[in-house]
Amino acid sequence: MTPTVSELMHDEGTDEATAVETRVPADVAALPGDGRELVMRARGLMRRYRMGHEVVEVLRGVDFDLRRGESVAIMGRSGAGKSTLLHLLGLLDTVDSGSLEVEGVDTTRLSTGARSRLRNDAVGFVFQFYHLIPELTALENAMLPLRIASSLGSWMANRKRHREEVRALLVELGLSSRLFHRPNQLSGGERQRVALARALVNRPRVLLCDEPTGNLDERTAEGIADQLFDLAQEHGQTIVLVTHDGELAQRADRTLVMTEGRLGLQDEG
Amino acid sequence: MYKVFLARRYMFVRPVSYLSMLVIGSAIAALIVVWSVMDGFLAETRELIRGTTADIVVTVLQSPEEPLERASLERVIRSTPGVTGAVSRLVRPAIFKVHGRDNLNIGTTMWADLNMVLVLGIDAEAEFEVTDLRDHLTEVDLESQQVDDPDTPFKIARNRILDRRLRMAALPRLLMGWELMDQLGLSKGDAIDLVTVPDNVAMFESDQLSSSSETFIVAGAFSTGHHESDMSRIMLSSDAFRRWSKTFHEVSEVYVSVALDGVDELAAIRGDLEAAFDAAGFTSRQVIVESWRDRHRILLGAVENERNILFIVLGMFVLLTCLITFAVLWTLVQEKTRDIGILSTMGAAPLGVGGLFTLCGTLISAAGCVVGLVLGTLIVVNVNAIKDWIENTFGVEIFRRDVYAFTEIPAKLDHGLNLMIVVVTIFFSALICLWPAWRAGRMNPVEALRHE
């Protein structure tokens, strides 16, 4: 039987915790497992940080499978390790031990450059605070991943096509009158839509969203969430959503809870 | 691809970038202007010297007991391969006064120089073949100073002699530097008295110095363009010179023209001439062979040295201004820490991020170089118009013709050197930008994203 979050919490610090730790991720990884292609596969992810003389174990052996087109919400208290996991899945950070495969490629063996290329190709990020480049317009911000992916030759050859694609995406997101506005001329919701467009523009297989609606009012947040899920579904993209918003999490196919460096299923009770 | 795009955006929206460009540009413009003017000065000085001297000058040292024959000297010179012509000159310092005028001011330090000249005894026809004398005669602007006939410069019609009492005296003629004539307010046909010390046998046998004086008619002026020559030289025909100076010399120095392919060849021919004199029995105590460069090496060396020192000092200044790029870039990396994290999330590699910031610094210095190049070139091309404008507007004299011996500020653009200045500046800027760029490249993207 799969342990619940409550059980995990209860077992913490006991002798049984280790046993749970090994059992739970295996179960987590097994869901939903409906035959869809595996996009990411994490096993035994460990991450420690040194804070002064103290070593803090942020992730304590996370096992995690992501399948094409599914959406997974990760919840948990602040400091539980959600963002760290997201950074590891997005190849921004490296694991201390364990393995992470992206589309069958063991990323722990990749060079920094290869990790960057894979990140550009396979992963898109959406952050709570948008993280747009202030000097660029909405259109330019959204086009940036394409520029990063292109060599001079390929950019010159595909520039017009890229521009039209990104423009169409922004129009689809309701930003047709904001294409040439800079971030400081946009509202929070508009900025987040630009960030969403930027995350989607490279057609990544996985969208990693860190509190994507955390800085927005309820109505705007709902609109952004709609667009996020609709577009991801439209393009068959996998979503990993770190959030404190229970309603948003409910829209995901499954919800996992991060507790003190361990990942478990949401407590149904 | 994103690096050029972002670097342009990062740099060209910040006023501090424009300030850096201006500082680098000004330093480069100053370097280009100073080098161009100094190089022009050097080139003009060389030209002036070349115009007043020959490729090679053979100075003849002799005593009354062992006078050297002009013909034998010229024979040795002409038989040396590479020599295309040789002309002998006699040289003697003299004091002069304007005939009939009380203007001999040799008792004052201020005016003494004005009454002292170097008198050259020349054969005009032979000079035409070797030196630029004909040009110097025809380049005189004032009609009242121009010779009647440049082919026979020492001739002047009797009726042109201004003092009627001297018209029938059959006085010898002379040519004066146009500036000296101008300074003294003389015209063609005026008379002057020349005094010198004869170097005949009597002079060597006696402890007493005697003087030799004669009155000459000014047949016209010459203009070499060299202030010193035009201000302090007088030319006589060699016959008139010998009569006036009572010298035992047939020749004081020989001006030699040679066929040249390069500077090295000039040195080679000078060496050949020395060897030829040696073979003909002339010792190094009797003849000194110098190229025009050897003769004026101190002046040319001083100008060249000054030019090079200024270049080094200003070059270092230009490189120092590149440190501004460093400061701007260091601040930019700090300011753009979160952007670095964002770029990483989009797949920018550390090397790419480093490249982006190196490019930012390089762009500033490249733009500064373009500003400097354009500004410097414009100033050099219009240097005299700028000089005139400053002098007219502010009433200050910034270029004294009597000091520098040029009518205008000489300036010569050296495109190769300017290109080198630009390349070195950009390279140096890129080099010092590597540190902040490296710092940006190795930034942890997760920490960068959390940067406040």
Side-chain angles (χ1 to χ4, degrees), chain B residues 62-304:
Chain B
Q62 52 204 317
S63 64
E65 291 80 22
E66 291 179 297
L68 298 183
E69 282 180 20
R70 170 180 169 169
S72 58
L73 280 167
E74 287 187 1
R75 198 167 42 249
V76 172
I77 293 168
R78 286 179 200 280
S79 62
T80 304
V83 172
T84 56
V87 60
S88 296
R89 284 182 167 188
L90 290 156
V91 180
R92 179 61 48 93
I95 293 173
F96 77 95
K97 78 180 269 291
V98 179
H99 187 75
R101 248 195 246 174
D102 181 20
N103 73 328
L104 190 62
N105 294 310
I106 55 174
T108 70
T109 52
M110 192 179 226
W111 300 108
D113 283 353
L114 197 60
N115 292 97
M116 291 181 197
V117 287
L118 193 67
V119 181
L120 309 175
I122 62 164
D123 289 328
E125 280 185 24
E127 287 279 337
F128 292 155
E129 289 171 16
V130 177
T131 68
D132 298 329
L133 179 62
R134 192 190 296 275
D135 295 338
H136 296 163
L137 293 170
T138 54
E139 279 167 12
V140 174
D141 293 329
L142 291 172
E143 201 180 336
S144 63
Q145 295 183 343
Q146 288 167 352
V147 293
D148 285 350
D149 178 7
D151 289 332
T152 52
F154 291 108
K155 283 191 175 167
I156 181 171
R158 277 178 196 277
N159 59 0
R160 287 183 178 272
I161 298 174
L162 299 177
D163 188 341
R164 288 172 180 275
R165 289 168 297 175
L166 300 176
R167 284 185 180 172
M168 301 308 293
L171 296 173
R173 316 306 199 216
L174 58 73
L175 302 169
M176 289 182 91
W178 77 272
E179 285 193 68
L180 183 58
M181 276 184 80
D182 193 48
Q183 191 81 22
L184 295 167
L186 293 175
S187 302
K188 180 168 66 176
D190 270 321
I192 67 163
D193 301 324
L194 276 180
V195 184
T196 192
V197 177
D199 58 352
N200 53 19
V201 178
M203 173 187 162
F204 287 87
E205 289 175 347
S206 163
D207 289 337
Q208 298 291 318
L209 283 179
S210 60
S211 66
S212 170
S213 174
E214 198 166 350
T215 302
F216 292 83
I217 301 297
V218 180
F222 56 84
S223 170
T224 63
H226 185 235
H227 174 70
E228 203 181 305
S229 298
D230 292 342
M231 194 63 198
S232 62
R233 289 203 179 168
I234 282 177
M235 289 181 184
L236 309 179
S237 71
S238 53
D239 291 340
F241 185 99
R242 279 193 206 94
R243 280 197 303 275
W244 161 69
S245 66
K246 300 182 176 61
T247 182
F248 66 89
H249 287 189
E250 285 188 23
V251 53
S252 302
E253 54 190 24
V254 186
Y255 275 35
V256 182
S257 62
V258 298
L260 281 180
D261 284 337
V263 176
D264 291 343
E265 200 175 342
L266 183 65
I269 295 174
R270 190 201 63 189
D272 291 347
L273 265 175
E274 282 174 333
F277 278 124
D278 196 39
F282 293 100
T283 67
S284 59
R285 284 186 168 188
Q286 291 175 309
V287 287
I288 298 170
V289 184
E290 292 171 299
S291 71
W292 67 274
R293 283 174 179 275
D294 299 332
R295 239 187 175 200
H296 299 275
R297 65 185 175 278
I298 293 175
L299 173 64
L300 291 174
V303 176
E304 207 169 325

